[in-house]
Amino acid sequence: MENSEKTKTMVREKYAEIALQSAGENAVSCCGVNSCNTLDYSIFSEDYTNLTGYLEAADLKLGCGIPVEHAQISKGDTVVDLGSGAGNDAFVARALVGELGEVIGIDMTPAMIDKAKALAEQLKMDNVRFRLGDIEAIPLNANVANVVVSNCVLNLVPDKQKAFSEVFRILKPGGHFCISDVVLKGELPEEIREAAEMYAGCVSGALQKKEYMGIIHDLDFQSVSIKAEKEIQIPDEVLLKYLDANQLAAYRKSGAGIFSITVFAEKAKSCCAPGAGCC
């Protein structure tokens, strides 16, 4: 529990730093925050600029996919965005749900919530709300969401099974999620897995792809599918902060890799608690 709280504090502090600068500053710094010896979080990100509802000020280049593009969001839906940051996915989702729908962003970093709320107020969007909260204990009632989206966030959560259990809980029967995340194939060197900075950059906290997908299946989600997948290349100059030249060469030859995946899954229309075998 103590290590879990330390991890959350570290992630919260790192993303609070990012929240206080613009996407432009994040990009031109080449590393997100601090100096060019740090991990550039934007190397994971996708281009949102052609999507209806896109708001440049909300796009901090922190995602690793475009979950809203595959989320089958309909007019009037209630959408919950977990780890909503400055609101990038939430504002695109709002364009899809229309005036009769609702979007709720959940984030554990107060600076991100403040930034997103300020943007929503500027745009006079009264059906987009942002709430401070932990994905392992989402501050929403059960069965409230038609759709849950999340973009490169669940890999930062220490207890991923608990996080997906919470996704299951807040989804309405017949609802679904679409989540973009970072997973691994093969083993990362221990030096990378232990690096706090790499954790905040979504790498060392990632699970093996098979284990990640196994959690989803074990919780009785239905119609599970991967909608998009790509390999992510971490630059040598970043990895050399943690590995010597020989270790780096061995890692490159090992066949291990870091991937972003966008996963879609449904909650059965008549369902009890996850894992109870009655779905």
Side-chain angles (χ1 to χ4, degrees):
M1 178 64 72
E2 182 179 353
N3 287 339
S4 174
E5 289 307 312
K6 285 181 178 178
T7 296
K8 290 179 183 180
T9 298
M10 177 272 299
V11 171
R12 188 180 294 112
E13 289 175 350
K14 178 65 72 173
Y15 282 87
E17 277 187 89
I18 295 172
L20 298 177
Q21 63 184 24
S22 69
E25 290 170 326
N26 193 32
V28 300
S29 73
C30 84
C31 327
V33 292
N34 298 326
S35 71
C36 285
N37 291 322
T38 64
L39 181 63
D40 176 5
Y41 303 129
S42 70
I43 66 172
F44 299 89
S45 66
E46 298 278 1
D47 184 7
Y48 272 70
T49 55
N50 292 324
L51 297 183
T52 302
Y54 172 75
L55 185 64
E56 184 177 5
D59 186 4
L60 300 183
K61 309 296 183 186
L62 297 177
C64 58
I66 309 181
V68 288
E69 197 170 44
H70 303 280
Q72 301 179 20
I73 296 170
S74 300
K75 295 289 185 185
D77 277 349
T78 295
V79 177
V80 176
D81 179 13
L82 300 178
S84 49
N88 190 36
D89 285 278
F91 291 121
V92 174
R94 192 267 181 192
L96 296 170
V97 303
E99 295 291 341
L100 298 180
E102 180 181 26
V103 180
I104 305 167
I106 306 291
D107 202 283
M108 72 171 184
T109 304
M112 288 292 188
I113 292 293
D114 291 344
K115 192 178 187 79
K117 282 184 174 180
L119 291 170
E121 289 171 5
Q122 288 172 21
L123 296 169
K124 300 186 181 341
M125 291 183 176
D126 58 7
N127 61 337
V128 181
R129 299 186 288 122
F130 295 95
R131 297 184 59 177
L132 190 67
D134 190 324
I135 296 175
E136 292 177 8
I138 299 171
L140 295 173
N141 292 331
N143 306 318
V144 297
N146 301 101
V147 184
V148 171
V149 297
S150 185
N151 198 347
C152 215
V153 174
L154 266 68
N155 51 74
L156 300 173
V157 176
D159 190 340
K160 294 166 181 61
Q161 179 150 355
K162 177 60 176 172
F164 273 109
S165 294
E166 283 289 273
V167 172
F168 189 100
R169 181 183 67 82
I170 68 170
L171 277 172
K172 296 178 180 180
H176 59 269
F177 75 71
C178 192
I179 292 174
S180 295
D181 227 335
V182 172
V183 296
L184 308 176
K185 294 181 183 178
E187 291 298 325
L188 289 182
E190 192 65 24
E191 292 82 359
I192 294 177
R193 293 194 66 86
E194 291 181 351
E197 178 185 60
M198 295 293 281
Y199 194 102
C202 308
V203 177
S204 66
L207 296 179
Q208 292 293 320
K209 179 182 176 181
K210 183 177 181 181
E211 182 181 0
Y212 187 96
M213 298 301 293
I215 290 172
I216 295 169
H217 285 286
D218 288 346
L219 288 170
D220 290 329
F221 283 105
Q222 311 292 307
S223 303
V224 181
S225 63
I226 295 176
K227 299 296 185 182
E229 181 170 357
K230 72 171 184 178
E231 187 171 6
I232 296 168
Q233 290 291 339
I234 305 297
D236 287 356
E237 58 266 29
V238 174
L239 293 177
L240 284 170
K241 288 186 61 183
Y242 311 102
L243 309 174
D244 62 32
N246 290 332
Q247 290 173 318
L248 176 59
Y251 168 61
R252 292 299 191 199
K253 292 178 181 177
S254 70
I258 302 163
F259 291 79
S260 72
I261 57 173
T262 298
V263 184
F264 179 96
E266 299 174 349
K267 179 176 177 177
K269 291 183 179 179
S270 177
C271 215
C272 54
C278 56
C279 297

